[in-house]
Amino acid sequence: MAPVLADVEPRNTRNLCIVAHVDHGKSSFADSLLASNGIISSRLAGTIRYLDSREDEQERGITMESSAVSLGWRIPVKQQDDAEPVLEEFRINLIDTPGHVDFSSEVSTASRLCDGALVLVDAVEGVCTQTITVLRQTHLSHLRPLLVINKVDRLITELKLSPSEAYHHLSRIIEDVNAVVGSFYAGERMEDDLRWREKQEAAAKARANAKGEGQDEEEVSGGTEGEEYEERDDSNLYFDPALGTVIFSSAIDGWAFRISRFAQLYAAKLGMSEANLNRCLWGDWFLDPKTKRVINRKKMESMGKKLKPLFVQFVLENIWAAYDAVVLNNNPVKVDKIIASLNVKVRPQDLRSKDTRNLLLAIFSQWLPLAPSTFRAVIDKIHSPPIAQSLRVPKMLHPDLGNSSDEPVAPTNKLEKDLYEGAPTDDRLTIAYVSKMFAVKSDELPENQRKPLTADEMRARAKIAKEEREARAQREKEDQAARDAGLPLAERPQEDLKAKKEREEEERLKAAVSKEVLIGFARQYSGTIRLGQQLYAVLPKFNSELPPSHPQNVRHIAPVKVEQLYMIMGRELVAVEEVKAGNLFAIGGLEGIVGRNATLCAMGPNTGVKDVASVDQDKECLVNLAGVSNTAAPIVRVALEPKDPSQMSKLVDGLRLLNQADPCVETLVQETGEHVILTAGELHLERCLKDLRDRFAKIEITVSPPIVPFRETAVNGVDMAPPKTADKPRGTVIGSVQNGLVTFTVRAIPLPEDIVSFLVANASTIKRLQRDRRAGKGEDDVEEIRAAGDSVEEDKLVAPEEFWSKLSELAKAAGKEWVGLVDEIWSFGPRRVGPNVLIDRTSGAPRSLKKRLERQAALPSSGGTPRPRSPSPSRASGESAPSLDAGELEAQLEETDTPSVNIALPDVRELDENLDTAFQLSTHRGPLCAEPVVGMAYFVEAVELNPGELDAAQVRSKWSSARGSLISAGQDAFRNGLLDWSPRLGLAMYSCDIQATGEVLGKVYGVVSKRRGRIVSEEMKEGTAFFTIRALLPVVESFGFADEIRTRTSGAASPQLVFYGFEILDQDPFWVPTTEEELEDLGEKADRENVALKYMNAVRKRKGMAVERKVVEFAEKQKTMKNR
């Protein structure tokens, strides 16, 4: 067991992840870095994909789970004085992440642990959809990125570009990446500008009020008057080869470089300083062959010369020459000249080999080795943990800071001080963040593996075995002699305890069952964590604003004991005894306590944990760092059941393990009792099912067809049937219960699109407004806001205090009956946060949700205990109550006349809760196929009590049953109101990005149209033969889409599917041909398939609802089979 993890100093540690679009070369790039540490052979680098440890990862050729490895590297570091550089040891903690959109959550968990990122971009494909996603993730996680333009060799071997064309192509890729980064910066500056303006307006308002009250304006405004908007330099955000933030590489051929490498090579030859040449090697700088001076483009054009940029002349042409001599036009004479000029050593067998890659690898691995260039860039440009934490952690603890400032923030307490400094000493608080849990087979853990014996141990064992054999032979000889002499056998000493213990340990290892164990993937932020240490596990729902002993926080703090600590080395784990701050590690002992992520805290290495009553004493160390955003919402769901019903318990346990081991999957039990898993896509679903069958449950599982969510709504169609209620506006439904005892009128109208999209985007805001509406329902007990797959438009998200005013503006813009909507909103639905509204248009005071919430906010907190009643004055003064005998009491009772009790008629306002419940239920399960309703407004126009000849007592006797009946009658009314319009289904849609060549473009279009998709745009990438096609595809039609498009195009096109949102299918599921033109075009039986009806019936059939189905269809076309 290693004593500690990372004996190197924190300033010599770097934590980074590799992120990119799928198939842009992340794992191949990581292979070359691993080869530098001798973990794999340099000749296998780029092909073995060492960090892809899963079998299905190797089969498919894509990464599905992030893998970590710790690498060491020594480089000379210049000292402060003019002394010679000193060779220092650096540790690079590297995480290889997936590039497929289905596994975007793995990128989120990895970025939380790192300080920097290598962003890989394919030199041919350029910026793709996932490239933008990972750039956004690095920006939101406050990472320092380095741009790696990989697969530059494809520009030579595939596109056959000249060095000048390749230079312009590479320049365009860097510009595209910088444009993406600039868009993030522009959005943040707009938010900063808005906050500054609001601050100025608030200060101006305060000064105006102070002036009216005669107060000192300067004192009230707080010195904000005249405060100017602070502009920020954004030049450090962009990638520039001259600044060393861009690496050009070919991972498959094992080379990479920054332009500083060529500046180092050519500075002496050109008679320039290395720093000056480094600034000129990229951009429009040219070398005048006569004067040997570097000139810019303007001067070159004035001289009437046509020169090549320095990057083309000194960098690309040399690389192109090497590829031309070795690969394109194999020329042994040129190869020998190149080898001699570069002063590299090549084995004779590589020169004779027919496989040119070996020769290419031998030349470039010595001329432009990948690992040294990359490690040098990482060490120079990515901060060490102490510096990075001083910049990143304040933004993690205080999200309001945003990305607007790169200056360190002063800590306000010991917790922040220790987190910002990241020191490993024992006087610091112990803080570690567990980003995710991952599963490992128990027999693969270091403590369960058979340890290899050293030569000395083997000799010692052989000696012991020989002595035991000799002793056993001697004992047998003595026993035999005693038996021959008729003497009793002598007592023998007990077996050697050490040998017995060793045998028992071997038997235990043999009998160990290979089961899955959950291990935490973590980073140490402060202090040192050791084996056996007691820690607090602060779970994600812990609220730092409340004391730890608060009832809401107590269940989100759990004591844990560190049972194992490991250093992660790709496919292997190395046991260690302690981990110092700034390092990545794996930790055991969290299973059953930590779900997916948590923060581990302690006051120090030797302090224990307090009980619930005393936990406030350790409040200083408790912090919640959890916060992972899943960029890919789970949209695809399937129901699971075991083939053998007796194995249901194994399935439940397997689902529990899967839910913890995968940060994106969700597991739930439906109302029907079905066990359902939600995944991010088809590929993610396949991986989860494989893990369930082979690792977690280890049973045969029956999987239902994919369950895709739909939405229901209604529109104002062209040819609609007459309204169901005569002489009333469309959508009006009159309902009654208890033979007309209670009647009500409801009118349904489709909501304007702007209001619908605003409500969908602000579901979380609506939840926050109503969080404490119901008594006894805490913050953690409120249902989830959105069903799986609902998209949120971040630009429409508003703060709770701005919600009503913004909604009022949208209602006013919609005009007509929507003006004044805000004060009449009774409720939102479904789940009280959905994009449907219940509006009160009855007479009397409106049932306004806004006013009700305002009244609740104005009321004082009622959390205290009720005050006891004050005693009567006589009791208070110590006097006893006067006694009363039984006879006197009986006389008083006889004299007292019993007054008649007047029973009043019930108020219809008592039915408010029942109508609201009916609204919630009807919008949660719509009339078409019991899917959630969106975009509908329901006006309650009248609720009346009609007692008729019944007296108040009789009405009261029927009142409770009437309230119950109103829920079912109200549901029918709300659903019939929607059906009075033209109903529509909302389809979950994928945004599909496909890159393909012109030869297979027609086949791509054919597959998309066959799946009822729609082409949105088609662009040709400049300088390449590739087209980028963007389409919208229904999720319900997407299963098998990727395989089909790869098959039809022979692998020349591969789609990337990202959830887009819901889109209304403009087809009435109940439509039938009625007009003469429709009958002539489609016939009486409407031979054209009604797609909406097909989707609706499929969902109804899956849910066990009634489906109108013809047993015999087209009877005149059927034939009678003859008997043979």
Side-chain angles (χ1 to χ4, degrees), residues 50-250:
Y50 180 81
L51 292 180
D52 289 349
S53 55
R54 294 172 57 98
E55 183 182 348
D56 47 358
E57 287 179 327
Q58 292 289 344
E59 289 176 358
R60 291 179 176 271
I62 63 172
T63 304
M64 297 184 184
E65 286 184 353
S66 55
S67 301
V69 66
S70 293
L71 304 174
W73 193 252
R74 291 182 180 180
I75 62 169
V77 177
K78 294 182 180 180
Q79 304 303 307
Q80 293 182 352
D81 50 7
D82 294 334
E84 293 203 4
V86 177
L87 203 63
E88 291 191 7
E89 177 81 21
F90 283 83
R91 182 172 296 278
I92 313 294
N93 295 317
L94 182 71
I95 303 178
D96 179 27
T97 64
H100 197 282
V101 64
D102 284 5
F103 311 110
S104 297
S105 56
E106 294 279 351
V107 182
S108 301
T109 56
S111 63
R112 196 75 173 175
L113 303 177
C114 297
D115 302 320
L118 295 176
V119 182
L120 268 67
V121 177
D122 192 308
V124 174
E125 297 181 5
V127 177
C128 299
T129 52
Q130 276 301 102
T131 310
I132 299 173
T133 302
V134 298
L135 282 170
R136 181 182 291 110
Q137 184 64 49
T138 58
H139 185 74
L140 294 176
S141 300
H142 319 294
L143 306 184
R144 294 294 291 263
L146 290 175
L147 178 63
V148 180
I149 301 180
N150 193 26
K151 302 187 181 183
V152 177
D153 59 293
R154 294 182 65 191
L155 302 180
I156 309 171
T157 58
E158 293 183 22
L159 300 186
K160 303 289 194 299
L161 298 182
S162 67
S164 297
E165 293 171 337
Y167 167 68
H168 292 295
H169 183 81
L170 295 172
S171 300
R172 190 160 47 248
I173 290 176
I174 296 174
E175 290 172 2
D176 291 344
V177 174
N178 286 335
V180 173
V181 176
S183 66
F184 303 151
Y185 172 78
E188 286 188 351
R189 296 310 284 166
M190 290 177 65
E191 293 179 2
D192 292 344
D193 179 66
L194 179 61
R195 282 194 291 266
W196 177 80
R197 291 179 185 277
E198 290 176 348
K199 187 177 179 181
Q200 293 296 311
E201 290 174 1
K205 187 175 180 180
R207 287 195 300 272
N209 294 338
K211 187 176 181 180
E213 296 176 4
Q215 299 180 13
D216 187 359
E217 295 183 25
E218 283 293 327
E219 183 180 345
V220 174
S221 63
T224 57
E225 184 178 6
E227 182 181 346
E228 295 184 358
Y229 180 65
E230 181 184 354
E231 293 290 345
R232 184 167 68 96
D233 181 21
D234 61 338
S235 59
N236 61 334
L237 296 176
Y238 302 112
F239 300 102
D240 186 357
L243 298 178
T245 55
V246 179
I247 301 172
F248 303 93
S249 76
S250 171

Side-chain angles (χ1 to χ4, degrees), residues 336-403:
D336 291 339
K337 289 182 179 180
I338 291 172
I339 292 173
S341 62
L342 295 177
N343 194 22
V344 297
K345 295 180 181 180
V346 180
R347 299 184 306 172
Q349 55 264 42
D350 290 336
L351 289 171
R352 294 192 301 266
S353 175
K354 293 182 179 180
D355 186 3
T356 57
R357 184 181 177 274
N358 289 335
L359 179 57
L360 202 66
L361 189 62
I363 295 173
F364 276 96
S365 62
Q366 298 176 65
W367 178 32
L368 302 172
L370 185 145
S373 300
T374 305
F375 287 146
R376 186 80 223 195
V378 168
I379 293 168
D380 290 347
K381 298 300 177 181
I382 294 178
H383 293 313
S384 62
I387 299 176
Q389 288 181 204
S390 66
L391 299 174
R392 290 185 63 233
V393 175
K395 298 170 184 175
M396 294 166 59
L397 296 178
H398 309 289
D400 295 340
L401 293 175
N403 290 339

